[in-house]
């Protein structure tokens, strides 16, 4: 081969080799560039989770944990959310435990852990996580409401009452706080207080069907079938077709109509 003709070819090969070396991955990055890439990858993975692209998010989070930043709290939390959305609650809880160990003062991590445990029907454990979230961010009524609900699910009605009253004082417009409080009062046989609270719930959110069902149950317990029938009928107009409406509310209406029609006048 002519030496002069080979020089351009050699120069091209050298240029390609240099470009390949410069693009050779994270080893060539400065610490500042690596940190910027990590932040960008984390943001991309979080966005993928929000868009329900779980497989792509999982791949990116695992790359971060296995290569770029082992033990990264945000990536661990992200994997917890991915597993939560995949209904793999045991794995989700393990990832979130690891994330919380890295970032124990993050209330959002405790709240997500509570959601995972709630979906796994581990209600006392969910209440514990929600309680920690609320203790870390006591200004967030959603955390307190979730805490109160899980205490109710755990049949810790007196504790739930205290928490829900605190939430109602913090945020009187918090949706469902008054109907949830009405439920725990009813469970403790505080019927008059419960009924007042259900009425407050109805006045605060007219769409809160839980408040109508709860009020109906209180009226029944008090022997006031006419008002119970009114409340159940309103509930059915709001929710005609759910399992609860079919198996509970509609049967209640049928029974109460018979009792009401058979009741002596005056």
């Amino acid at each position: 081969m002519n030496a002069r003709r080979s020089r351009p070819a050699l120069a091209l090969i050298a240029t390609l080799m240099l470009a390949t070396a410069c693009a050779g991955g994270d080893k060539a990055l400065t610490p500042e560039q690596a940190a910027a890439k990590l932040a960008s990858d984390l943001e991309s993975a979080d966005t993928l989770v929000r868009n329900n692209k779980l497989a792509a998010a999982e791949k990116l989070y695992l790359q971060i944990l296995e290569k770029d930043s082992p033990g990264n709290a945000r990536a661990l939390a992200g994997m917890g959310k991915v597993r939560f959305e995949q209904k793999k609650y045991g794995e989700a809880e393990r990832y979130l435990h690891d994330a919380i160990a890295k970032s124990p003062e993050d209330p959002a991590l405790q709240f997500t852990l509570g959601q995972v445990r709630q979906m796994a029907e581990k209600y006392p454990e969910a209440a514990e996580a929600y309680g920690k979230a609320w203790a870390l961010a006591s200004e967030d009524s959603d955390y307190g409401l979730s805490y109160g609900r899980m205490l109710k699910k755990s049949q810790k009605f007196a504790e739930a009452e205290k928490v829900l009253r605190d939430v109602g004082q913090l945020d009187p417009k918090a949706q469902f706080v008054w109907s949830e409080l009405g439920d725990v009062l009813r469970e403790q046989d505080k019927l008059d207080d419960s009924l007042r609270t259900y009425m407050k719930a109805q006045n605060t959110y007219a769409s809160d069907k839980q408040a109508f069902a709860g009020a109906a149950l209180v009226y029944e317990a008090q022997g006031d079938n006419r008002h119970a029938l009114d409340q159940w009928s309103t509930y059915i107009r709001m929710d005609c077709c759910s399992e609860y409406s079919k198996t509970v509310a509609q049967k209640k209406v049928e029974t109460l109509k018979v009792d009401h029609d058979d009741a002596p006048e005056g």
Side-chain angles (χ1 to χ4, degrees):
M1 180 185 295
N2 185 291
R4 289 183 180 178
R5 290 181 180 178
S6 68
R7 285 173 188 168
L10 291 171
L12 177 59
I13 292 170
T15 301
L16 290 171
M17 290 176 67
L18 179 61
T20 302
C22 290
D26 294 352
K27 292 181 181 179
L29 298 179
T30 66
E32 292 79 10
Q33 289 171 329
K37 179 180 181 300
L38 175 61
S40 176
D41 286 348
L42 285 166
E43 185 59 37
S44 296
D46 291 349
T47 300
L48 288 168
V49 173
R50 288 193 293 271
N51 292 329
N52 202 36
K53 296 181 179 179
L54 301 180
E58 177 179 345
K59 183 177 179 180
L60 197 46
Y61 284 132
L62 289 178
Q63 173 191 305
I64 291 166
L65 290 170
E66 293 170 3
K67 179 182 177 184
D68 300 330
S69 181
N72 183 280
R74 186 169 166 186
L76 288 167
M79 277 302 301
K81 292 175 184 176
V82 168
R83 292 292 184 254
F84 174 48
E85 294 297 335
Q86 294 170 334
K87 297 181 172 56
K88 297 178 180 179
Y89 302 126
E91 289 184 44
E93 189 165 351
R94 287 193 290 274
Y95 274 114
L96 288 166
H97 271 303
D98 290 344
I100 289 167
K102 297 281 185 179
S103 186
E105 301 302 311
D106 187 341
L109 289 178
Q110 293 286 357
F111 185 73
T112 304
L113 178 59
Q115 290 178 308
V116 169
R117 289 172 169 175
Q118 179 179 343
M119 291 302 296
E121 298 184 355
K122 298 164 67 174
Y123 301 129
E125 293 88 346
E128 179 185 13
Y130 285 140
K132 288 179 180 178
W134 200 37
L136 290 167
S138 56
E139 74 285 355
D140 193 318
S141 60
D142 286 342
Y143 292 171
L145 181 56
S146 296
Y147 182 28
R149 278 175 164 162
M150 286 306 102
L151 288 170
K152 184 185 84 169
K153 278 280 194 182
S154 304
Q155 298 188 343
K156 297 180 179 179
F157 300 122
E159 293 178 48
E161 178 185 346
K162 181 182 184 308
V163 170
L164 292 167
R165 286 192 187 279
D166 288 345
V167 174
Q169 185 173 5
L170 172 69
D171 183 4
K173 295 292 185 180
Q175 193 166 13
F176 307 124
V177 65
W178 302 120
S179 51
E180 291 288 343
L181 179 57
D183 285 353
V184 299
L185 291 167
R186 178 170 51 81
E187 291 289 352
Q188 297 174 87
D189 291 323
K190 300 178 180 180
L191 297 184
D192 290 339
D193 197 3
S194 175
L195 186 57
R196 284 192 294 270
T197 306
Y198 285 132
M199 293 300 110
K200 186 170 186 176
Q202 293 178 19
N203 290 332
T204 304
Y205 283 97
S207 60
D208 186 353
K209 61 187 181 183
Q210 180 181 343
F212 290 91
L217 290 169
V218 172
Y219 280 127
E220 280 190 71
Q222 294 176 331
D224 188 343
N225 289 350
R226 182 175 69 83
H227 282 100
L229 180 59
D230 289 343
Q231 293 290 310
W232 281 124
S233 298
T234 301
Y235 177 91
I236 291 168
R237 286 196 295 272
M238 299 168 72
D239 176 19
C240 68
C241 305
S242 72
E243 190 65 22
Y244 184 81
S245 183
K246 292 176 182 177
T247 60
V248 177
Q250 292 179 30
K251 289 184 177 180
K252 290 277 191 180
V253 166
E254 292 169 7
T255 301
L256 287 167
K257 278 184 175 177
V258 171
D259 292 345
H260 183 65
D261 292 343
D262 289 345
E265 294 183 5

